Amino acid sequence: MMFTTESAKDPLRKSVGLPLLVLALGQLVISLDYNIVYVALPDIGAGLGFSDHDLQWVVSAYVVATGGFLLLGGRAADLLGRRRMFVVAALLYAGSSLVGGLAQTPGVLVAVRAVQGIGGSLLFPATLSLITTLYEEGPERNRALAVWGAAGAGGLCFGSLLGGVLVEAYGWPSVFFVNVPVAGALAVAGWLLFPADGPWDRSRHFDVAGALTATGGITLLVFLLVQAPAEGWDTPAALVSAVLSVCLLTLFAVVERRSRDPLVPARLFAHRGLLAAMGVTALFSATFSSVPYFLTLYFQTVHGYRAVATGLAFLVPAVVVAVGTQAGERAVSAFGMRRMLVGGMTLGAAGAAALGLALTSDGSYPSLLPGIVLLGLGQGAAWTGMWIAASAGVAPGDQGVASGMASTTLQVGGAVGLAVLVALAGGVGQNASGPGLLDGIRTAVFAIAGGIGCGALALLALRGATSTSP
């Protein structure tokens, strides 16, 4: 028995500034919450007694939980109500952040990060599907997605910068406490500003079997991709995860074929634009989204930046990405979706190549700026474009699960991409040092340039698949 969601009323469409601000802040919280802990990791490890091996799970628990539950979160937004899921997710963030700031043991903090990840898996598709249902397809929706994307870029900046400031001033618990009032205010604002979810539709049923098998299979897959590169692909944990993931995802496919109300309607797999957008999101996360990891190593390990200095170093990239999201929205109207995506990815490939050339042991920050600017503009344009493509032509009742499908490939692509890049770089890690570290960072950045360039060529071959105009 499900809830249906009412379509947006005309009066609401005429006054969308404040709702869009809340939706953008929701995206800011998601991005902020993922990035803010990076600069706090050394203090967290020392404060709670994490081993070097286990400290990665402060980040990985969030990634695994988010990736595993996104598909479920997307369908829940469609069937249980977008406003309800937005509010529930914001409250999850607020409550788990409070517990995280009070945590006294590593286990509690890792559990908190997993709950925050579940909150992200509910909030991301709810936010995205609210945008795609509140704003009509076309220029209005494109502008809203560009603002939403710029807020995500802001999270990249404020996550690192705010995290550095808070850690140095108040200690690591402050990176969790700061979320509590922000997420709580989001929950209240969402309840007051978004259109009420419709009456209870007793004719629809939630696909429990599909939800369990999909969530379990994807969670184990992401766990495998996060854990195996460090621990080995032939360890018992990796082998068990791989077998169980394959079994659960196979069972999910069988369940979906027989379900009256499937978690993922089969018609969406025939939607060429959505499938192409899923491919772009996976490549985007594997390449563009891996750059901050290697830049952080470069700044902190090669050049010895402190936490605040590292945050400030990410200020320019974040601003440029935000500019790119706005340019991407305008370029879609002027040139069409496919051309804009190809252009953005070409810029990104050129920027990554230039950045790789500038990464030297005695290089200055200004020498990085040409590559950073090109890379950031391409990243921002591609980010806006891929979400426009993912929502174009999808029925309102499927917008949540379509968002969940695209964001799931975003998470899986990121896990795969970072694992491959770290392996390719050879020995790159938080504790690595010396010339080998710098060579590994450069190798990874050049590989990112090549991956983005291959993606641009692939889009050229997919004429019409992601295009919303001739």
Side-chain angles (χ1 to χ4, degrees):
M1 293 181 285
M2 296 294 108
F3 292 97
T4 57
T5 303
E6 293 179 344
S7 59
K9 307 298 184 184
D10 289 338
L12 182 64
R13 288 189 182 274
K14 295 176 182 178
S15 178
V16 292
L18 201 52
L20 179 57
L21 175 62
V22 175
L23 291 167
L25 286 175
Q27 173 63 5
L28 178 67
V29 167
I30 295 171
S31 182
L32 187 84
D33 206 53
Y34 177 79
N35 288 282
I36 198 170
V37 299
Y38 271 107
V39 295
L41 285 177
D43 292 82
I44 291 173
L48 294 184
F50 273 93
S51 67
D52 291 339
H53 173 269
D54 291 337
L55 186 59
Q56 65 163 322
W57 281 103
V58 177
V59 174
S60 297
Y62 187 92
V63 174
V64 170
T66 302
F69 283 80
L70 272 167
L71 201 58
L72 175 61
R75 201 51 173 165
D78 288 332
L79 300 180
L80 301 179
R82 297 180 178 93
R83 185 178 74 164
R84 291 186 186 94
M85 298 315 300
F86 183 94
V87 171
V88 168
L91 291 176
L92 266 181
Y93 264 118
S96 59
S97 295
L98 179 61
V99 175
L102 298 172
Q104 298 294 315
T105 64
V108 170
L109 190 64
V110 170
V112 162
R113 290 293 286 167
V115 174
Q116 287 182 324
I118 295 173
S121 70
L122 300 178
L123 186 60
F124 190 95
T127 300
L128 194 52
S129 60
L130 277 164
I131 288 177
T132 55
T133 51
L134 288 176
Y135 302 90
E136 293 180 355
E137 186 172 336
E140 184 184 27
R141 182 185 296 174
N142 295 351
R143 283 193 296 272
L145 286 169
V147 172
W148 173 80
L156 294 176
C157 164
F158 291 115
S160 300
L161 181 57
L162 182 61
V165 171
L166 289 174
V167 168
E168 292 201 358
Y170 304 106
W172 69 261
S174 60
V175 302
F176 292 93
F177 288 141
V178 71
N179 276 329
V180 178
V182 177
L186 272 180
V188 174
W191 187 260
L192 295 175
L193 291 174
F194 298 147
D197 298 312
W200 198 337
D201 183 0
R202 298 178 180 272
S203 66
R204 304 191 68 180
H205 297 266
F206 196 83
D207 181 12
V208 176
L212 292 175
T213 52
T215 300
I218 296 171
T219 300
L220 286 168
L221 175 61
V222 178
F223 171 83
L224 174 69
L225 296 172
V226 169
Q227 183 77 351
E231 297 299 310
W233 294 91
D234 57 350
T235 61
L239 294 174
V240 170
S241 297
V243 170
L244 289 178
S245 177
V246 170
C247 292
L248 286 171
L249 291 176
T250 302
L251 184 58
F252 169 68
V254 173
V255 168
E256 293 301 277
R257 289 175 61 89
R258 300 180 178 181
S259 176
R260 184 174 62 180
D261 287 313
L263 184 70
V264 181
R267 59 184 174 272
L268 292 180
F269 290 105
H271 195 294
R272 292 184 65 201
L274 175 58
L275 295 180
M278 290 168 64
V280 173
T281 60
L283 179 66
F284 179 97
S285 189
T287 54
F288 284 111
S289 296
S290 297
V291 172
Y293 175 84
F294 294 101
L295 277 183
T296 299
L297 285 176
Y298 179 74
F299 292 141
Q300 292 189 331
T301 307
V302 176
H303 285 290
Y305 286 17
R306 292 176 62 84
V308 174
T310 301
L312 288 171
F314 279 104
L315 180 59
V316 173
V319 171
V320 175
V321 171
V323 172
T325 62
Q326 306 305 303
E329 178 262 319
R330 291 169 174 80
V332 169
S333 300
F335 304 109
M337 180 63 62
R338 186 176 63 90
R339 292 187 185 93
M340 189 281 291
L341 283 172
V342 170
M345 296 180 76
T346 301
L347 270 181
L355 182 61
L357 293 172
L359 295 172
T360 61
S361 59
D362 57 354
S364 64
Y365 184 78
S367 69
L368 304 178
L369 291 180
I372 284 174
V373 169
L374 290 175
L375 182 67
L377 289 174
Q379 180 176 352
W383 175 265
T384 298
M386 69 191 192
W387 296 115
I388 294 173
S391 63
V394 177
D398 290 332
Q399 285 289 344
V401 72
S403 301
M405 292 168 68
S407 50
T408 296
T409 55
L410 185 79
Q411 291 291 325
V412 174
V416 173
L418 188 57
V420 170
L421 289 167
V422 169
L424 184 64
V428 169
Q430 295 289 346
N431 298 319
S433 62
L437 171 64
L438 181 57
D439 289 341
I441 292 172
R442 277 199 299 258
T443 299
V445 173
F446 284 131
I448 287 169
I452 299 171
C454 289
L457 292 175
L459 282 175
L460 281 174
L462 293 174
R463 180 178 295 274
T466 58
S467 180
T468 58
S469 62

